[in-house]
Amino acid sequence: MTALGAVFRPQLPPERLRGIARAADEAGLEELWLWEDCFLESGIATASAALAWTERLRVGVGLLPVPLRNVALTAMEAATLDRLFPERVVLGVGHGVQDWMGQVGARAESPVTLLREYLEALRALLRGERVTTDGRYVKLDGVALDWPPAAALPVLAGAVGPRSLRLTGEAADGTILDASMSPDAVRNARRLIDEGREAAGRTGPHKIVVYLHTATGPGAAERLKAELADGNGGSTELGVAGDAGTIAQFVERLAAAGADTVVLQPTPDEPDPEGFVRFVAEKVRPLVP
């Protein structure tokens, strides 16, 4: 079954999160996803609050920028969240926006090398291993978590380019694809991820999460058009506007292309964020196999 989620966009003030998370939980939404975009809101702080305010909602952080965060700190925070809220945390990491990383003096000369080293160390730490490594970017000397997750917490990685997509197949437990990908692009991404998995001899499950620009209600088509015109070339394959049936059909296209989870991403000017998460859970979910 295709899992369905929605995004709490960090362009909303932090104080809006409580109402939206509770609305999502009460409506039966499967997953609420948060972003650590510079310089808006912390992914870990918002995730911990959303988890505490809800009972069953899974909360995804997609994603934490690895140049910004020491891997031991990320492991500590992720393990703490998972032990506080078992089986409700979905963790994603990635390159981060390079311009933002440059602003804080954390831009890596080789983002792919950094992400590879980071994923290897982070996954080992979350498995409860003691890690010593002296990489180009990641350096640990006998580091182990005193409170690792009770069971290894899967680590997803965001990717767009071919090298990064193959890397997620080799070194991550899943891949997050942003809303810039059409169904055909998702299908190609899945192929590249599988190439990386094959090269690394990996045969276990690999979850693929795909964001989808989505608008519904009054002015939906106009709001989506404005969103897609801002850096997305205006392609109609990168988003969907309309009623629950129309949106569910697009979700099914992404699922057929290889998505395991589709996360509906509202427009920045969505007039009713609480209503949006209820719509996803109560209207779209029943129509998606």
Side-chain angles (χ1 to χ4, degrees):
M1 184 178 75
T2 307
L4 207 61
V7 176
F8 173 86
R9 296 185 64 136
Q11 289 80 11
L12 291 170
E15 55 267 28
R16 294 293 304 273
L17 177 59
R18 184 173 185 171
I20 293 168
R22 286 188 165 178
D25 199 45
E26 291 165 2
L29 185 69
E30 291 155 270
E31 299 182 1
L32 183 69
W33 281 76
L34 311 170
W35 299 344
E36 186 163 88
D37 278 2
C38 297
F39 299 95
L40 294 165
E41 294 162 7
S42 158
I44 296 297
T46 51
S48 62
L51 288 160
W53 287 326
T54 57
E55 297 295 328
R56 45 150 303 281
L57 183 70
R58 288 197 302 273
V59 176
V61 182
L63 45 77
L64 300 173
V66 300
L68 196 61
R69 291 176 159 271
N70 184 281
V71 68
L73 176 63
T74 298
M76 290 165 57
E77 291 185 320
T80 301
L81 280 180
D82 187 66
R83 292 185 71 112
L84 289 170
F85 308 100
E87 299 182 3
R88 293 180 56 203
V89 178
V90 187
L91 176 67
V93 299
H95 299 307
V97 176
Q98 295 306 296
D99 286 347
W100 291 340
M101 298 303 99
Q103 282 183 269
V104 297
R107 187 166 187 162
E109 185 178 353
S110 177
V112 171
T113 301
L114 168 57
L115 185 58
R116 181 185 298 279
E117 293 178 357
Y118 201 99
L119 284 167
E120 291 173 353
L122 179 59
R123 292 176 67 233
L125 289 167
L126 293 175
R127 289 193 297 266
E129 299 176 14
R130 184 171 299 277
V131 181
T132 295
T133 183
D134 186 22
R136 181 175 176 182
Y137 297 104
V138 176
K139 301 178 185 295
L140 299 173
D141 183 7
V143 175
L145 299 177
D146 287 285
W147 296 105
L153 176 65
V155 178
L156 281 61
V160 176
R163 289 181 64 204
S164 294
L165 287 165
R166 290 190 183 95
L167 172 58
T168 67
E170 293 175 30
D173 299 303
T175 304
I176 301 170
L177 305 177
D178 68 21
S180 67
M181 291 197 172
S182 67
D184 283 344
V186 171
R187 190 172 290 106
N188 185 58
R190 181 106 216 186
R191 178 183 60 79
L192 292 166
I193 293 164
D194 287 344
E195 287 178 5
R197 283 164 51 77
E198 182 178 359
R202 302 187 66 188
T203 57
H206 188 97
K207 180 178 181 178
I208 294 186
V209 177
V210 181
Y211 292 121
L212 173 63
H213 292 293
T214 306
T216 190
E222 291 75 16
R223 287 187 283 113
L224 179 66
K225 183 178 180 181
E227 171 84 328
L228 296 181
D230 185 16
N232 290 292
S235 171
T236 58
E237 289 290 285
L238 300 183
V240 59
D243 61 12
T246 301
I247 293 167
Q249 288 176 3
F250 205 106
V251 169
E252 289 187 53
R253 290 180 61 198
L254 290 172
D260 299 297
T261 298
V262 178
V263 183
L264 305 189
Q265 177 178 316
T267 59
D269 55 352
E270 164 59 49
D272 182 10
E274 289 85 356
F276 183 85
V277 297
R278 293 191 191 98
F279 168 79
V280 175
E282 297 171 353
K283 302 298 183 182
V284 181
R285 171 73 274 175
L287 302 179
V288 176

